[in-house]
């Protein structure tokens, strides 16, 4: 709590950098549209998130929050929010056990059921409810409790344990949540992928808005956010000179594009690995060679995973790397890098330089590699995540998505499906961020608007436009 | 014809740079899928187009061709094709009258009706047929011939004249074309916009494939093609030093992004004008200010229009510009710059430095501006258009689109609507271009593919993915 | 001392990044060339400096060290060196009083006089000896002690006080230092400027080697070091998004070029202020406008001083800035920004966000600016200075300069003048850093070397070559 | 002559882009300082040179001109000058025989001896006089005429023939030139190297000003000029897409830096070859790998020589290249590429695509490479050389150098040595080019100027400053 004052000072600085959120407070605050709404958030508990939370409360919501990553909480942000605005269950350096306990706490609004709305990032809050409901159904039919031993996945064992223990005290806990829930707005590619899978298998329990695929989210936060925070994380963790080095970026999606741009501009020679020929051709057009990890594993100095897939850099790859090669991940989950393989490698030695910066030394070669943030999101583990301005774009989408869900809760507009925000709202989010940067838009004349067949006030592009 | 040998030499060089088209010849040539098909093309008659035409003929087609711009024909390319492969109606520096005569000639396959397939760029061949059919219907019902005097638009007067004269000799000419036509594949943003308007108004007469919105077209040709050919055109036309200058790019879509990137990298200070807040915010994130034309008209040295809209730079703007400011357009049509206003400005003096490079001097100030390619596509008028490699991406999409239309002509797969090529074909086009650049793709394991829920062999991205 | 282990771990990482220094250990270590030499260093006590110190001791020297900036010490580096290798007088956040006490301590080798050699950065150790000798001469002639009240400059008052107090106990203290001293090697532009002034006024007391003007120093550390450490400092201190912002860089010398490049690449719109028309024209050729501070003071978001001059940003400028504009300095001394004017501004309020990051609020507007590192070197105050690799270039020059001075101490090669290292040594420093980055040099044939009139093994360029 | 009007139009455009030269006309024109001076120039006869020539005549000089490269003349520029201003001996596509005939003509001012002043580029005019004087001395002593058969070098045989034939008609021809000559100002690195060799061997016959090493020449024209004109030449000659290609730049001096920057920005993967470790380390810091030609000869698509040395790319290298690899030179002389080896390769076939663009096919592989401008300066052979603005910097130095030599002809200020222009003139050249780009300089206060020990009005930097 001693850090709350520091957190408040940084929140005040961030507010100046987050014009979209502050505009929401001005536009919607007076009418208190979230009056009566309970919002649970599972999203990195940073300074920027603090401004989001206080925007939700400024619009009338009650809020409970947890982080969606064990390392991403900024303790001073959490302290300020906990003191001033909302219940927070998050600290930097949680164990996995603690992490899921926090998630469960943030969903627990007491006897009246769970939250009305969820702000999710990566989908863990959504997952817990879906798994809970599934387990309760099985229990109701068969009396069988979930068995943590039924899975190899250490993290999923914890999830099952929590659900099992919950079942013992209240066998309808997650059903009550489900019935109260109006919907979820999901922040990131990984969580969105899960939602579409649930939608297509028919198992999605409530409406979802895919915030990630707003243009003002995925083409800004993922791209420009990572362009900023990747070098930030590298420099804070290792102080290594990026210029002159060979850097491998695994994946050339929006995140990979941002990372590759940052590394290239800082003077390193970037190599991209890709599975998708279109993204590969984009890299080539920017002067970036596309090779396989195998081709370059022994020569590169820095490795960054950005794929959203698993098993990208395995322990056998790491063994072949140069001494003090840096290995890190900026994708949502920590399974891009084979941390398990590394930890279990016979005779491997872990030397912690400082928190989130470990040197792992292989016994055969006495040569080491440096792993950041234990394979988790390095920009949040080793630095402070994306800067406020770009998060203002993302989070303004979140506020608008939450407003949509809440305002339309009774109208039937949103079914148990995944939705993207309409383009005029996407354009509005962008418009709210132009003034801060001194930009002036050109206005279409009626005649011009007719000529290209759009309304004068937008939206200006067809749905499939790629930007 | 004396230029045919030179054209042939350049065609041979281009073939080495167009791996997608050459792969089509290898893959499809033996089975002669276009056997019996008549294809009319209306698309800039350049060296790259020559390789496209000879790919179509290598697959069995008969071809007739015209250009879609009065300045864009490369005469040596036209000569080589005319001598060796297909009927060509195109030369550099046509009058508008000649232009539409060429279009009409390319569509005229004699008594058996028109072409089976159209390759269109900007939609003029498609327009002529639609207007022709419309006029024939009116004529049939009312006996009334189209009246060129009914429009102010000089170019449309020519279109109506051609149709009127045609009606006199064969009142079913365009109806016969329509019935024979299997479909059109359209190359560019502007033509696609027209097609969607016809689709939504129900007036589209045959199936259309929107090639422009293949990722391997719009995100490559429009972006990287213009990044190459804009400075090429500027340098050939004016030899002006780009470094140090202030350059205004009107529009920050794919074309504008390519132009802005090129100008920035060459050392000029770029300013963007935009109507769309999302594109504006993208410019800002790249360090490019967004202002209105009015703000900067008196201070900039170079103006480029890329909007696809009309009336972007008016004669009143041009009057305010610095002496020898350069004004050019790289959008499809020439109405982005108010050439009519300029030509009709009282006392204005036109000094032709060399073909496609004119200095226009205003009487009040004795100060002049330099207009490239008379306001038409400056990269085709003043240089040689996009380079072969990137056109290979676009044109491989064209070949695949034509194959789709022709192969499925009897299946009913394509109705009178506008279609985009499926993603696996888009990815295939990209894949055909990787080897030439020495790239190696990473292969997904089955396990990884399942994890992200895609087939091992692709397609890898959802339809709405933006790249 | 508890931080010594952490310091040692980071020193070991840095050694891998500092091939020039490690090569010196290998090449010269066995012969112990510094046997018997006492070296005093006054240079930022960072991890990289630790590797320098241990290179000097590995070559046989005894070393005492202080920092040359009150904020630049990394305490864990100081702790490791103090425990393992040399006497250290430095910690992060010294007062000015403490700073000069440290300098005096580092020069005090006990009864036998001072050091044999000085490694100086900014020239404060050199200044203290010169002022000390001057005061002793006056005292000897007139009996007059230096009077701190004779100057307005708060820092110089401290210097005079130290000398005065020293004089009371030993009136020959600085004369003894002078006689023992073989020479100084100076690290930075500012210190070098002082040395040349002393040389030209005839007051220089011992030989000096200007390390700053080795190409492998000024064109690397100043340029590429700042390109790395400026954004590092900005991000650690403020987390502000650099993209989209307007940034003013005062001065476009090597440091300014590095800063401008970093800011531009990160997506901000950079404006340069310059007095020198040549440097101004260089900025313009890179697409960077050159304006005066006055022109842009009210519109920019970030201000960086890099001039090596004083009074660059005054309190009256700061009053005109936008709320939360960031003001920082990366030049050697803290007088580029008018900190005194700011501190004394009536009613100004200082809010410390965190150490080295202060918000100063003006009473009239209630609007604040953010000042980093109290106007001192922000890359050392807010981040960790330049990265190891580029410092290896600079410090290898230092080792070679110290070796030159020591080896030639009896030969008369170096008089009381300022020298630059010969070009073949400069090229050698570069060559020692190529292998780490995987580079391979081309070898001249004898025939080619004769053709361009250079030795096969170099040096390859005339003295005046600018790189 | 029919092209003179076109030349005049382009000269008028260029004048607007050459503020330094136009300022010279304004400042010095009225006093006619060159009254009575005969100036011979041997420098690429382009539009920009035309503006230089007319600046010299505007200041009172009589001028005779030839080009210094067989391909670099722009015929319309030559025609306009010949018609309006000076005697010109130059056309595009001279034979070597014609080239030296032109040089001899330009030096021949009739019975009164040669020119008073020479503007030289590469030093051929200077060479001819020096060789002529040498031959005349031998002839006077021994009666022996120079023997063209005494050398293998085809070009030098021509030089000797011209001198021999001249000797027959006037055995004092070059001695008369020598006695009249006040001095030469030399434009380029290569010519300067020759001058320093003559100075150090004591054979220099008249004073020389090294214009190349003015900062406003070598750091602008060489760097930014080539950054512009290299891609211009590539695009005009081959239309090849630069993006995605692998490009090798041999040499990373000022010219190489400009070329590498241009290729990198256009999206190619650049590799540098270097002999100098300092330049190599600079390339690495910009993210450019440094390898040997051997390492990459079989994989690269584009090769550019920029070294100023000879035998950089030999026929054996060319044989190993990919089909249609592009080979070109942008250094002053054509001996960087082994054209002789290529021409004499048994069975090699030359296919001229268009003038200055040849495909050479090796018989063993039937694979070809594309050589630009027959190995000569490709930016002048295939495009129009550097743009006006940057040449204005170079040529303003030329005018100032010529003024210095002429004004001081009687003062003895300049001996038979090589001089660089003083820094304040260098700064003046830069200052004359700022206004056109809208720049505003900051003014030093007296106090600040004293603090850094420079005059308020400059010069601001020490002689050895590198920029």
């Amino acid at each position: 709590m001693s850090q709350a004052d520091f957190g408040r000072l940084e929140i005040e600085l961030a507010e100046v950098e987050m014009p979209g959120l502050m505009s929401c407070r001005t536009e919607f605050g007076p009418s208190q549209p979230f009056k009566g709404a309970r919002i649970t958030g599972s999203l990195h508990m940073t300074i920027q998130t603090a401004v989001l939370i206080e925007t939700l409360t400024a619009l009338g919501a009650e809020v409970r929050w947890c982080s969606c990553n064990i390392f991403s909480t900024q303790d001073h942000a959490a302290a300020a929010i906990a003191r001033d605005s909302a219940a927070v269950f998050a600290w930097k350096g949680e164990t996995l056990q603690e992490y899921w306990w926090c998630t469960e706490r943030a969903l627990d609004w007491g006897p009246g059921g769970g939250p009305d709305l969820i702000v999710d990032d990566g989908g863990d809050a959504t997952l817990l409810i879906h798994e809970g409901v599934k387990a309760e159904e099985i229990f109701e039919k068969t009396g069988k409790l979930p068995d943590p031993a039924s899975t190899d996945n250490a993290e999923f064992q914890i999830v099952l344990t929590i659900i099992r223990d919950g079942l013992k005290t209240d066998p309808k806990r997650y059903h009550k949540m489900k019935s109260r829930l109006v919907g979820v707005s999901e922040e990131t590619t990984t969580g969105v992928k899960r939602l579409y899978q649930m939608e297509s298998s028919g198992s999605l329990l409530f409406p979802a808005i895919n915030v990630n695929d707003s243009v003002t989210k995925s083409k800004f936060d993922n791209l420009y956010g990572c362009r900023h925070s990747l070098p930030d994380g590298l420099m804070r963790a290792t102080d290594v000179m990026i210029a002159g080095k060979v850097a491998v970026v695994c994946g050339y999606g929006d995140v990979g594009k941002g990372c590759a741009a940052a590394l290239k501009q800082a003077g390193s020679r970037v190599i991209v690995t890709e599975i998708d020929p279109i993204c590969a051709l984009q890299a080539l057009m920017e002067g970036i060679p596309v090779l396989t990890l195998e081709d370059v594993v022994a020569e590169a100095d820095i490795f960054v995973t950005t794929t959203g897939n698993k098993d990208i850099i395995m322990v056998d790859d790491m063994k072949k790397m140069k001494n003090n090669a840096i290995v890190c991940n900026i994708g949502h989950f920590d399974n891009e890098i084979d941390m398990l393989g590394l930890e279990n490698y016979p005779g491997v030695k872990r030397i912690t330089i400082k928190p989130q910066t470990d040197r792992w030394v292989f016994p055969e070669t006495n040569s080491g590699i440096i792993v950041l943030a234990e394979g988790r999101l390095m920009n949040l583990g080793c630095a402070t995540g994306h800067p406020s301005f770009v998060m203002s774009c993302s989070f303004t989408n979140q506020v608008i998505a939450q407003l949509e869900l809440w305002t339309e809760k009774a109208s039937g507009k949103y079914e148990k499906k995944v939705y993207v925000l309409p383009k005029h709202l996407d354009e509005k989010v962008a418009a709210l961020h132009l003034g801060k940067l001194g930009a002036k838009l050109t206005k279409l004349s009626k005649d011009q608007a007719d000529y290209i067949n759009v309304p004068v006030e937008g939206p200006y592009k067809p749905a499939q436009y790629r930007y």
Side-chain angles (χ1 to χ4, degrees), chain A:
Chain A
M1 272 304 148
S2 64
Q3 299 187 50
D5 285 344
F6 171 34
R8 179 54 52 195
L9 285 172
E10 291 222 322
I11 289 170
E12 284 166 11
L13 292 186
E15 286 171 356
V16 179
E17 287 285 301
M18 302 186 87
L21 291 182
M22 299 314 277
S23 295
C24 288
R25 293 190 195 178
T26 311
E27 181 174 352
F28 302 113
S31 63
Q32 295 284 297
F34 283 133
K35 194 88 198 168
R38 296 170 174 180
I39 301 178
T40 287
S42 164
L43 194 157
H44 314 288
M45 181 59 246
T46 63
I47 290 292
Q48 290 74 35
T49 301
V51 184
L52 167 60
I53 292 171
E54 295 192 335
T55 302
L56 297 172
T57 58
L59 271 57
E62 269 186 284
V63 174
R64 292 172 79 82
W65 213 266
C66 60
S67 189
C68 62
N69 181 294
I70 62 174
F71 290 135
S72 66
T73 298
Q74 293 171 358
D75 289 334
H76 61 310
I81 291 300
R83 187 188 64 189
D84 302 339
S85 305
V88 175
F89 306 89
W91 57 92
K92 191 175 183 81
E94 301 161 356
T95 63
L96 281 176
Q97 208 98 27
E98 291 165 345
Y99 172 81
W100 284 99
W101 176 85
C102 288
T103 307
E104 197 269 344
R105 282 299 77 212
L107 286 169
D108 188 348
W109 287 78
D116 296 299
L117 294 161
I118 293 176
V119 174
D120 214 351
D121 183 339
D124 279 350
T126 301
L127 174 92
L128 186 55
I129 297 173
H130 279 75
E131 291 297 331
V133 167
K134 197 160 74 183
E136 288 173 1
E137 281 169 1
I138 292 171
F139 180 73
E140 192 174 14
K141 289 191 199 138
T142 69
K144 250 179 83 179
L145 287 169
D147 176 11
S150 67
T151 172
D152 275 352
N153 183 314
E155 187 163 359
F156 199 57
Q157 289 174 353
I158 298 169
V159 173
L160 292 182
T161 307
I162 283 180
I163 294 172
R164 186 195 59 193
D165 296 351
L167 261 174
K168 293 177 187 166
T169 57
D170 179 358
K172 285 289 172 197
R173 172 188 191 71
Y174 292 103
H175 273 80
K176 283 183 233 159
M177 280 194 202
K178 181 189 89 167
S179 10
R180 182 171 184 121
L181 253 170
V182 168
V184 61
S185 58
E186 166 59 45
E187 177 75 6
T188 200
T189 319
T190 303
V192 161
K193 211 179 297 168
R194 285 182 178 180
L195 288 170
Y196 281 112
Q197 287 174 16
M198 288 192 275
E199 181 187 25
S200 72
S201 70
S203 60
L204 186 62
L205 299 174
F206 35 79
I209 292 186
N210 164 0
V211 163
N212 181 69
D213 286 314
S214 288
V215 188
T216 47
K217 203 282 174 181
S218 62
K219 298 286 275 189
F220 285 83
D221 166 346
N222 300 14
L223 178 63
Y224 301 116
C226 291
R227 191 178 68 177
H228 178 105
S229 61
L230 176 87
D232 193 12
L234 277 175
M235 293 191 286
R236 294 198 207 205
T238 69
D239 289 319
V240 81
M241 183 146 199
I242 298 172
K245 297 297 192 301
V246 175
V248 177
V249 176
C250 299
Y252 198 66
D254 290 318
V255 170
K257 284 176 173 77
C259 293
L263 291 163
K264 197 178 162 194
Q265 288 158 350
S268 73
R269 284 166 273 159
V270 178
I271 293 154
V272 151
T273 71
E274 248 301 341
I275 57 160
D276 182 326
I278 297 178
C279 296
L281 197 55
Q282 289 183 307
L284 291 160
M285 290 297 102
E286 298 297 345
I288 301 174
V290 177
L291 295 168
T292 66
L293 184 60
E294 202 169 43
D295 295 323
V296 294
V297 70
E299 284 152 44
D301 302 284
I302 299 170
F303 296 83
V304 186
T305 56
T306 78
T307 67
N309 207 327
K310 65 176 185 175
D311 300 341
I312 304 305
I313 299 181
M314 306 306 289
V315 69
D316 279 346
D317 301 313
M318 296 187 242
K319 274 180 62 183
K320 293 177 197 145
M321 291 177 184
K322 283 164 69 169
N323 184 31
N324 286 5
I326 296 168
V327 178
C328 61
N329 167 47
I330 197 167
H332 188 80
F333 283 122
D334 66 341
N335 55 357
E336 306 211 10
I337 300 172
D338 178 20
M339 291 309 295
L340 206 68
L342 183 60
E343 284 155 21
N344 295 335
Y345 191 85
V348 80
K349 218 171 90 190
R350 172 181 179 171
I351 301 163
T352 297
I353 311 292
K354 58 189 178 190
Q356 328 285 352
T357 308
D358 295 298
R359 186 161 182 259
W360 294 80
V361 181
F362 289 101
E364 294 87 351
T365 54
N366 210 23
S367 158
I369 60 165
I370 296 169
V371 178
L372 305 190
E374 304 185 15
R376 292 170 192 270
L377 278 165
M378 61 79 78
N379 58 340
L380 282 154
C382 299
T384 62
H386 295 172
S388 301
F389 187 83
V390 82
M391 292 315 297
S392 179
C393 294
S394 304
F395 287 168
T396 306
N397 277 291
Q398 282 286 7
V399 172
I400 290 175
Q402 292 277 315
L403 278 173
E404 271 291 297
L405 289 168
W406 185 243
T407 318
E408 303 287 346
K409 62 179 177 292
S411 74
K413 178 172 176 187
Y414 294 106
E415 303 172 49
K416 290 174 188 171
K417 290 185 178 166
V418 188
Y419 296 88
V420 180
L421 286 177
K423 192 165 290 292
H424 76 274
L425 293 178
D426 216 346
E427 292 183 358
K428 177 177 176 172
V429 171
L432 292 175
H433 289 85
L434 297 178
K436 165 84 183 162
L437 304 182
K440 286 203 267 175
L441 284 182
T442 299
K443 303 254 174 290
L444 277 186
S445 70
K446 181 70 178 63
D447 197 34
Q448 287 176 317
D450 291 348
Y451 181 71
I452 60 167
N453 205 24
V454 300
V456 166
E457 68 288 349
Y460 300 106
K461 300 289 190 303
Q464 78 276 12
Y465 189 72
R466 292 194 188 89
Y467 297 88

